[in-house]
Amino acid sequence: MNTYTVVFGDTMWRIAVNHGLDIQELLAANPDVSNPDLIFPGQTIIIPSHQTNTNQSTHKVIYGDTMWYIAAKYGVSLNNLKKANPQIKNPSLIYPGQVINIPGTPSTPSTPSTPSTPSTPSTPSTPSTPSTPSTPSTPSTPSTPSTPSTPSTPSTPSTPSTPSTPSTPSTPSTPSSGSSDMNALETEVVRLVNVERQKAGVPALSQNNEIGNIARMKSQDFIDKNYFDHNSPTYGTPFDMLRNYGISFTAAAENIASGQRTAAEVMNSWMNSSGHRANILNATYNQLGVGAAKDSNGNLYWTQMFTKS
């Protein structure tokens, strides 16, 4: 049994994926972690010796699976997984009970969709993402940021001070190509979020089109830069991106996803992930922007940005 030291940006879900483990297996090995959505830099996590076998030859699809999730679970690249399954004509369309071939040589797993804590570190001395997505609290400017929790509820940054006011770049414009289709999908996601919040007795979120434009830019950035992570090589963290486009907030979080074909499918995926669900139902937030983008193969990428104004 090995151990792992938490760094800034880690979540239990990300640690589980990176070590080839199921999240429940990792939680069972760490009973002292009373809240899996709240871990801190420097904290020691026990890694069970019984890890997921990344050389397993097949995987049976269960409800909520996507090709990207299966690739991340077994530590193989999405492209290699697609090549190993030529019978899958549409990688965005798989069904429960379907058997997926797992390539024998694992590659570095992609970063799971886990929003990180919105801290505002100027130059963090000990730096450490829909996570289990985290539920960030008030952003701060700490010298040693506290640990967010993916795809879920980031922890509260220590000793926040007033964040400096960043320069405001030009307001992002709404992409024109297929924008009406994307707008319909994005609006439906907002509607479904508020349906779930109503069921939970939580106030509805207001759809913020300006934040929605930023979220769509983030989804398009996944396609343009060929990555999938909360930290963008173009825009930095979700919280940096919001600030740099002039969005003021006292708390924020992000959910991301890829491969789902409809608003209902992506909401189902998020609601079946404890961290993403926690962001969706968090009563702290009052604003929501949703952005979707489609790549040349027709695959959709999704971003939700929650804020408290």
Side-chain angles (χ1 to χ4, degrees), residues 32-232:
D32 55 319
V33 179
S34 57
N35 182 354
D37 295 328
L38 190 63
I39 57 176
F40 304 93
Q43 188 172 356
T44 298
I45 302 298
I46 295 172
I47 307 300
S49 56
H50 173 67
Q51 300 185 2
T52 301
N53 181 10
T54 56
N55 290 317
Q56 180 174 334
S57 59
T58 60
H59 170 87
K60 182 177 284 188
V61 176
I62 61 173
Y63 190 69
D65 272 349
T66 64
M67 290 291 278
W68 181 86
Y69 174 81
I70 295 169
K73 179 176 181 178
Y74 290 98
V76 299
S77 73
L78 183 56
N79 285 336
N80 285 343
L81 186 64
K82 290 178 181 178
K83 290 177 182 178
N85 291 273
Q87 78 280 10
I88 305 295
K89 303 304 181 185
N90 183 354
S92 300
L93 189 61
I94 57 176
Y95 303 94
Q98 196 168 7
V99 176
I100 304 298
N101 297 319
I102 307 300
T105 304
S107 62
T108 303
S110 58
T111 306
S113 58
T114 307
S116 60
T117 306
S119 57
T120 318
S122 51
T123 307
S125 57
T126 311
S128 85
T129 167
S131 123
T132 317
S134 45
T135 304
S137 54
T138 307
S140 60
T141 314
S143 60
T144 306
S146 59
T147 304
S149 69
T150 183
S152 86
T153 307
S155 59
T156 306
S158 57
T159 319
S161 59
T162 304
S164 59
T165 304
S167 59
T168 305
S170 58
T171 304
S173 58
T174 305
S176 57
S177 175
S179 61
S180 60
D181 292 342
M182 293 300 103
N183 283 336
L185 289 171
E186 293 157 359
T187 299
E188 178 64 4
V189 169
V190 175
R191 187 188 73 80
L192 292 173
V193 165
N194 283 329
V195 167
E196 296 297 339
R197 288 174 72 89
Q198 184 179 28
K199 291 178 186 176
V202 181
L205 297 172
S206 298
Q207 183 172 6
N208 186 309
N209 291 331
E210 188 174 2
I211 296 175
N213 287 344
I214 295 169
R216 193 186 288 188
M217 292 172 65
K218 179 67 171 286
S219 293
Q220 185 62 44
D221 195 48
F222 293 146
I223 299 168
D224 295 343
K225 298 299 171 66
N226 192 28
Y227 75 101
F228 187 72
D229 195 275
H230 291 284
N231 293 331
S232 163

Side-chain angles (χ1 to χ4, degrees), residues 279-309:
N279 278 343
I280 289 169
L281 301 182
N282 192 320
T284 300
Y285 307 121
N286 55 21
Q287 302 280 321
L288 172 61
V290 176
K294 184 181 291 186
D295 68 15
S296 59
N297 295 320
N299 298 314
L300 283 167
Y301 291 79
W302 307 81
T303 302
Q304 288 179 319
M305 287 183 169
F306 304 85
T307 67
K308 178 181 179 183
S309 55

Side-chain angles (χ1 to χ4, degrees), residues 10-29:
D10 274 343
T11 65
M12 291 294 280
W13 191 84
R14 173 179 288 185
I15 294 169
V17 170
N18 287 344
H19 288 84
L21 298 169
D22 180 82
I23 183 63
Q24 297 302 325
E25 187 179 3
L26 184 63
L27 293 175

